[in-house]
Amino acid sequence: MPTNKEYIQMIEQALRSYLPSQKGLEADVCKAMEYSLMGGGKRIRPILTLEFCRLCGGNLLAALPFACAVEMVHTYSLIHDDLPCMDNDDMRRGRPSNHKVYGEDIALLAGDALLSLAFETMLSPRNAGLAGEDRAARAAGLLAKASGATGMVGGQVIDLQQEGKPTTIEVLQQMDEKKTGALIIAAAEMGCVIAGAEENKLAAARTYTRAIGLAFQIVDDILDVTADSKQLGKPVGSDETNQKNTYVSLLGLERSRGLVKELTEQAIKVLEQFPEDTSFLSDLARSLATRQY
Amino acid sequence: MPTNKEYIQMIEQALRSYLPSQKGLEADVCKAMEYSLMGGGKRIRPILTLEFCRLCGGNLLAALPFACAVEMVHTYSLIHDDLPCMDNDDMRRGRPSNHKVYGEDIALLAGDALLSLAFETMLSPRNAGLAGEDRAARAAGLLAKASGATGMVGGQVIDLQQEGKPTTIEVLQQMDEKKTGALIIAAAEMGCVIAGAEENKLAAARTYTRAIGLAFQIVDDILDVTADSKQLGKPVGSDETNQKNTYVSLLGLERSRGLVKELTEQAIKVLEQFPEDTSFLSDLARSLATRQY
């Protein structure tokens, strides 16, 4: 079983290999794509693809293009999210955001090109052949659905519309399930699909990722109230300042903490569906729940 | 053999059926997607997919999702092109552009969602199954490559960089081959792939579409100098006003016209590779070359 660090090495090496060459007249957009794609991050989504593939007895090398594709989709969404017409964020992961470095036009196009590159990577004759074209088509179809209007983009739209307005816990949860949940769920599902797993394992993968995805979001909201701003790397209390609807503002701190505990237990419990060693994923669920930043 | 009008009806009915429902909290983005996708246009790209599929003896119903996908990609590119950080166009096809109606944030996301929807449409279990998963994966992979950094997006980047600068005919041609050529070529290739055509037919489809794509662009430049502005639906002479590099400014009117004639003849000639009735495509090549608007 690879360690987290080994997974990240594998993923970053592959991501680099899939990026387009910077030799043509379109070099600027290729540089902008590299800037954000190789700019760090926890690589949780591609790790989920690989680890679920491994748990289902699949070939990690066949899953690698699909793991990288979900990271490309995630990265494109961050570039577009940071644009002035969206969240207008100047910084991302401690560096200037893409449009601050390359300009809005190139940043927009770099995001667009990363979304296309995700599908190009999964569906190249070589990579689709390695996974099997039927599995490749099914996995890529799951990622397409998860990233679109009824998935991630839909969640971003709900987020835009709720801004500054009172909301309910149901709406907040639906927003998170789409905005961040859909992609995390698809990451895990793709790993199972590439391994040719049975339906019960796909269902378990969905339950696990839905639970940790939601728990992750609630922990974010808790940390915004309780964390040390130096440790968190951003000012605490920003949600309240921005009148953002959060789990903490809607449920209070205690119930939010209880919900994280419940979701984490649910995630760990469902891993029993896999006869293999699931300690990587149970550790991941615990570490996301107890993180301090 | 369906007529142009019958093809358009088939395509528009299918496009509508693939759009997401407008019932969820994310309804705004779904409306914005519909606004641009169902807002008219000549539907040349999807027609090329269907007609090349028919010429190669394929099943039109199996090709329809792929035809629609290329139109979704084309539409997303227009929405993003019109954004203030790109061409900042307030009008498109005689109507306010997407962001003028829905706002920049929703327009950006509607474009993003249309690109995802293209792949979701091609790779849904039903549609990929109808085409055969191996053909579906290959066709979708071609569209992914054609739409990305080394294809359409790359062409947009070259366009941004050449603006207002002196250029050469080689650069102009490379820009067009990527910006508009790549998608038109992929449209035709996908039709052949879904029909399971041999390599020589794919090569002929590429030659045909490269030629008519380039001819189309040169005719655009010629019309900007010679057309009646009422008939053209936009002011003539705008390329000169905007100091745009065009075939006419680089080659002159006569050589530009000669090139259109040459390319159109080349396109029609290569259709001999198909034993079937190719009058639809030879008529199309001729009508694009002789159009007055």
Side-chain angles (χ1 to χ4, degrees):
Chain A
M1 180 167 63
T3 62
N4 196 64
K5 199 177 153 187
E6 285 163 347
Y7 271 143
I8 290 177
Q9 278 174 348
M10 231 172 126
I11 290 158
E12 299 203 333
Q13 194 182 343
L15 283 174
R16 191 169 288 284
S17 76
Y18 298 137
L19 278 167
S21 125
Q22 298 178 6
K23 286 182 186 154
L25 291 170
E26 64 278 6
D28 276 7
V29 79
C30 304
K31 284 179 198 155
M33 290 163 79
E34 184 189 16
Y35 177 79
S36 290
L37 192 63
M38 305 311 296
K42 293 182 279 289
R43 315 292 191 193
I44 289 180
R45 292 161 191 78
I47 289 175
L48 285 171
T49 305
L50 296 178
E51 178 63 6
F52 272 100
C53 177
R54 193 192 66 79
L55 278 184
C56 296
N59 174 358
L60 284 191
L61 283 182
L64 196 51
F66 298 82
C68 290
V70 74
E71 189 70 3
M72 292 172 192
V73 173
H74 174 57
T75 303
Y76 116 75
S77 78
L78 299 180
I79 297 174
H80 282 190
D81 251 354
D82 288 342
L83 284 171
C85 71
M86 296 284 292
D87 292 352
N88 196 15
D89 276 323
D90 290 355
M91 299 291 286
R92 165 71 65 183
R93 291 175 182 152
R95 302 189 307 163
S97 49
N98 200 291
H99 65 274
K100 295 307 282 184
V101 180
Y102 296 95
E104 282 180 56
D105 46 4
I106 294 291
L108 170 69
L109 293 171
D112 290 346
L114 278 171
L115 181 51
S116 284
L117 186 63
F119 291 96
E120 185 181 341
T121 301
M122 293 185 285
L123 299 168
S124 76
R126 183 196 158 104
N127 293 341
L130 192 60
E133 283 80 3
D134 51 340
R135 293 178 185 179
R138 187 172 166 208
L142 287 170
L143 185 57
K145 193 171 169 58
S147 59
T150 56
M152 183 181 73
V153 167
Q156 290 170 301
V157 173
I158 300 174
D159 194 14
L160 286 172
Q161 285 167 344
Q162 299 306 313
E163 226 170 296
K165 277 192 259 177
T167 193
T168 64
I169 191 76
E170 287 76 22
V171 170
L172 186 62
Q173 193 166 332
Q174 198 191 127
M175 180 194 88
D176 284 330
E177 276 179 4
K178 292 187 174 188
K179 191 178 172 187
T180 56
L183 209 56
I184 296 179
I185 293 170
E189 283 181 305
M190 287 204 297
C192 299
V193 166
I194 298 304
E198 306 84 45
E199 195 42 54
N200 71 315
K201 293 194 173 168
L202 268 133
R206 275 191 290 269
T207 304
Y208 171 87
T209 41
R210 182 172 289 122
I212 65 161
L214 203 49
F216 185 92
Q217 210 53 56
I218 302 172
V219 171
D220 248 11
D221 293 350
I222 294 173
L223 289 174
D224 188 73
V225 177
T226 64
D228 182 301
S229 79
K230 208 189 267 170
Q231 209 170 17
L232 196 61
K234 59 178 182 183
V236 296
S238 67
D239 289 345
E240 208 184 332
T241 312
N242 300 331
Q243 294 190 285
K244 225 184 112 186
N245 294 300
T246 73
Y247 292 95
V248 176
S249 71
L250 289 168
L251 295 178
L253 205 51
E254 270 332 289
R255 279 183 64 198
S256 297
R257 280 185 175 136
L259 197 49
V260 170
K261 191 159 176 274
E262 224 172 85
L263 288 163
T264 305
E265 280 164 9
Q266 187 197 9
I268 292 169
K269 173 86 183 147
V270 80
L271 294 173
E272 288 169 9
Q273 294 284 326
F274 299 92
E276 292 78 3
D277 179 357
T278 58
S279 57
F280 187 99
L281 292 176
S282 49
D283 289 350
L284 177 66
R286 270 186 222 101
S287 72
L288 293 178
T290 57
R291 72 199 164 95
Q292 299 301 317
Y293 54 91
Chain B
M1 179 167 64
T3 62
N4 197 65
K5 200 178 154 184
E6 284 163 349
Y7 270 144
I8 290 178
Q9 278 173 349
M10 229 173 126
I11 290 158
E12 299 203 332
Q13 194 183 341
L15 283 174
R16 192 169 287 285
S17 76
Y18 298 138
L19 278 168
S21 125
Q22 298 179 6
K23 285 181 185 153
L25 291 169
E26 64 278 5
D28 276 6
V29 79
C30 304
K31 285 178 199 157
M33 291 162 80
E34 184 190 18
Y35 178 79
S36 291
L37 192 63
M38 305 313 295
K42 294 182 278 291
R43 313 295 190 192
I44 289 180
R45 293 162 191 78
I47 288 174
L48 286 171
T49 305
L50 296 178
E51 179 63 7
F52 272 100
C53 178
R54 192 192 68 77
L55 278 185
C56 297
N59 173 358
L60 284 191
L61 283 181
L64 196 51
F66 298 82
C68 289
V70 73
E71 188 70 4
M72 292 172 192
V73 173
H74 174 57
T75 303
Y76 116 75
S77 78
L78 299 180
I79 297 175
H80 282 190
D81 251 354
D82 287 342
L83 284 171
C85 71
M86 297 284 292
D87 292 351
N88 195 17
D89 275 324
D90 290 354
M91 298 292 286
R92 166 72 64 184
R93 290 174 181 153
R95 302 189 307 163
S97 50
N98 199 291
H99 65 274
K100 294 308 282 184
V101 180
Y102 295 96
E104 281 181 56
D105 46 5
I106 294 291
L108 170 69
L109 292 171
D112 291 346
L114 278 170
L115 181 52
S116 284
L117 185 63
F119 291 95
E120 186 183 340
T121 300
M122 293 184 285
L123 300 168
S124 75
R126 182 195 158 104
N127 293 342
L130 191 61
E133 284 80 4
D134 52 339
R135 293 178 185 180
R138 186 173 168 209
L142 287 170
L143 186 57
K145 193 171 169 58
S147 58
T150 55
M152 183 182 74
V153 166
Q156 290 171 303
V157 172
I158 300 173
D159 194 13
L160 286 172
Q161 285 167 344
Q162 299 306 312
E163 227 170 294
K165 277 191 258 179
T167 193
T168 63
I169 190 77
E170 288 74 25
V171 170
L172 185 62
Q173 192 167 332
Q174 198 190 128
M175 181 194 87
D176 283 331
E177 276 179 4
K178 293 188 174 188
K179 192 178 171 188
T180 55
L183 209 56
I184 295 179
I185 293 170
E189 283 182 305
M190 287 204 296
C192 299
V193 165
I194 297 304
E198 306 84 48
E199 194 42 54
N200 70 316
K201 292 194 174 170
L202 267 133
R206 275 191 290 269
T207 304
Y208 172 87
T209 42
R210 181 171 289 123
I212 65 161
L214 203 49
F216 185 91
Q217 209 54 56
I218 303 171
V219 171
D220 248 11
D221 292 351
I222 294 173
L223 288 175
D224 189 73
V225 176
T226 63
D228 182 302
S229 79
K230 208 190 266 172
Q231 208 170 16
L232 197 62
K234 58 178 183 184
V236 298
S238 67
D239 290 345
E240 207 185 332
T241 312
N242 300 331
Q243 294 192 284
K244 228 184 111 184
N245 294 300
T246 72
Y247 292 94
V248 176
S249 71
L250 290 167
L251 295 179
L253 205 50
E254 270 331 289
R255 278 184 63 199
S256 298
R257 281 185 176 135
L259 198 49
V260 170
K261 190 158 173 277
E262 224 171 86
L263 288 164
T264 304
E265 279 163 11
Q266 187 195 9
I268 291 169
K269 172 86 182 149
V270 81
L271 293 173
E272 288 170 9
Q273 293 285 326
F274 300 91
E276 292 78 2
D277 178 359
T278 57
S279 57
F280 186 99
L281 291 176
S282 50
D283 289 351
L284 177 66
R286 269 185 222 101
S287 72
L288 293 177
T290 57
R291 71 198 165 96
Q292 297 301 318
Y293 54 90

